[in-house]
Amino acid sequence: MSEAEASVGMAHDAGPDEKTLQVLRDMANRLRIRFIRTTSSSTTSYLTPCSSAAEIMSVLFFYTMRYKQEDPENPDNDRCILSKGIPFVKVATGWPGQGLGAARGMAYTGKYFDQASYRVFCLLGDEESTEGSVWEAFAFASYYNLDNLMAIFDVNRIGHSSSMSVEHCVGIYQKRCEAFGWNTYVVDGRNVETLCRVFSQAAQVRGKPTAVVAKTFKARGMPNVEDAESWHGRPMPKERADAIIKLIESQIQSNKILVPSPPIENSPQINIMDIHMASPPAYVADDMVGKRCRILNNIYFIIVFFFLNTQESSFTN
């Protein structure tokens, strides 16, 4: 479904009021400010990819997802898997692209084992979409009709060292997703109203997983940095960072946040306390064991949940 078609299809859907939309915009901008302050103190900065998905994160965590923020391990909470980086999320894989594989496993468990209402969301970067594991997960999710699963592509055009081969050609992503049997929307990832409505529409789809292809821009809202290929991994000079922060702060209209809706509590009660290994692992001292580690490079959810713990004023959506 194209962006224009999505807009027409949503014309009669009840969406958030303007007050809620403005709070979501403000929260996205606060995310950007936190990104700038956090990454500017580092010798290696991943500011630009963090900023591209700020609106997606704001809408997802404070309007769409259902969870208890004071109880992040609650089994009834919606799940979020970040195939771009880091904590509170159930799995944070970094850019190699295993995130959707984990998400489809959680969605399969929710639909066929738990038979519960929680949903699973996975945010992917466009660089992750080049990995074959992503499309294996797409085939699996379609075959098993995982309508409780949503994949969100943050299509910000620029990879680690240069632009992606398909750049901002979101239609290519759309065709690929639809070819695998997914319900697909193409949206402007900067438009919180469109994101709210598309995410809500996806919850009504039965028998298919949903993909949301969001066109975004690295370093969104930062003059002379937005959509520039030369800033990936570069720290921003303090003087420039301070000037951009002041500009973004001037666009914020309130100090309010949204309180996420509580989950539907229908997960089965499971006790794993009496589970034991059949036999202990047999390790031999000095044996050489292969290992692989990767530094996760994005900071989305550290900042998202900073908001949850520090903002004093809020209202319920």
Side-chain angles (χ1 to χ4, degrees):
M1 182 180 292
S2 69
E3 184 177 346
E5 290 170 331
S7 298
V8 172
M10 296 183 297
H12 301 292
D13 292 349
D17 58 29
E18 182 55 37
K19 183 178 181 181
T20 300
L21 293 173
Q22 186 58 51
V23 173
L24 290 169
R25 296 185 192 105
D26 291 343
M27 293 174 73
N29 277 326
R30 289 197 196 95
L31 280 172
R32 289 194 174 88
I33 291 171
R34 293 295 175 181
F35 296 152
I36 296 171
R37 286 176 174 162
T38 302
T39 59
S40 294
S41 62
S42 172
T43 56
T44 302
S45 171
Y46 291 93
L47 165 67
T48 58
C50 294
S51 298
S52 67
E55 280 80 12
I56 295 173
M57 292 293 93
S58 176
V59 172
L60 189 60
F61 269 82
F62 297 101
Y63 183 80
T64 301
M65 286 179 60
R66 304 175 67 94
Y67 62 96
K68 294 182 178 180
Q69 60 190 59
E70 74 283 358
D71 184 12
E73 297 301 322
N74 191 296
D76 296 302
N77 287 347
D78 285 348
R79 278 75 164 147
C80 185
I81 289 77
L82 191 58
S83 200
K84 290 170 69 75
I86 245 170
F88 181 89
V89 293
K90 294 294 183 182
V91 179
T93 67
W95 64 262
Q98 303 101 324
L100 192 61
R104 59 96 187 266
M106 293 181 184
Y108 183 91
T109 298
K111 185 177 178 72
Y112 293 107
F113 289 105
D114 291 348
Q115 297 182 11
S117 297
Y118 64 77
R119 300 173 66 205
V120 183
F121 302 86
C122 182
L123 177 66
L124 304 102
D126 41 9
E127 195 156 13
E128 286 88 335
S129 70
T130 63
E131 301 288 345
S133 58
V134 168
W135 302 104
E136 291 174 5
F138 258 75
F140 179 98
S142 177
Y143 181 81
Y144 287 105
N145 305 314
L146 300 183
D147 47 19
N148 57 345
L149 174 63
M150 179 190 291
I152 307 163
F153 286 91
D154 175 19
V155 184
N156 59 34
R157 189 181 74 82
I158 302 173
H160 277 73
S161 58
S162 62
S163 61
M164 299 296 297
S165 58
V166 296
E167 296 200 345
H168 269 146
C169 297
V170 290
I172 294 177
Y173 292 90
Q174 177 184 6
K175 290 178 181 178
R176 289 174 180 173
C177 296
E178 291 176 343
F180 277 88
W182 284 50
N183 171 52
T184 306
Y185 304 95
V186 175
V187 301
D188 180 348
R190 303 165 296 180
N191 189 317
V192 295
E193 182 174 12
T194 300
L195 289 168
C196 287
R197 292 183 177 177
V198 163
F199 289 174
S200 295
Q201 271 199 321
Q204 309 306 315
V205 174
R206 297 293 177 263
K208 286 185 176 183
T210 291
V212 176
V213 181
K215 182 178 178 179
T216 63
F217 295 85
K218 281 192 173 181
R220 157 88 168 135
M222 303 178 195
N224 302 317
V225 182
E226 181 173 327
D227 202 34
E229 296 184 14
S230 59
W231 278 91
H232 187 89
R234 285 177 54 191
M236 183 175 290
K238 184 179 184 304
E239 297 77 11
R240 189 167 192 174
D242 289 344
I244 292 176
I245 287 173
K246 288 182 180 179
L247 175 63
I248 297 174
E249 284 178 336
S250 70
Q251 301 168 13
I252 296 175
Q253 299 182 19
S254 76
N255 291 320
K256 294 183 178 179
I257 66 169
L258 296 171
V259 176
S261 299
I264 298 172
E265 299 183 2
N266 60 359
S267 294
Q269 299 297 312
I270 299 173
N271 182 8
I272 62 172
M273 300 304 295
D274 59 349
I275 296 177
H276 304 282
M277 297 182 65
S279 60
Y283 294 115
V284 179
D286 299 325
D287 267 6
M288 301 296 289
V289 179
K291 64 180 180 179
R292 181 171 185 260
C293 67
R294 181 174 299 277
I295 298 174
L296 301 178
N297 56 25
N298 286 342
I299 60 169
Y300 291 119
F301 292 101
I302 286 179
I303 307 305
V304 169
F305 286 94
F306 173 87
F307 287 157
L308 290 176
N309 294 321
T310 59
Q311 297 296 324
E312 295 183 355
S313 56
S314 63
F315 64 90
T316 305
N317 61 357

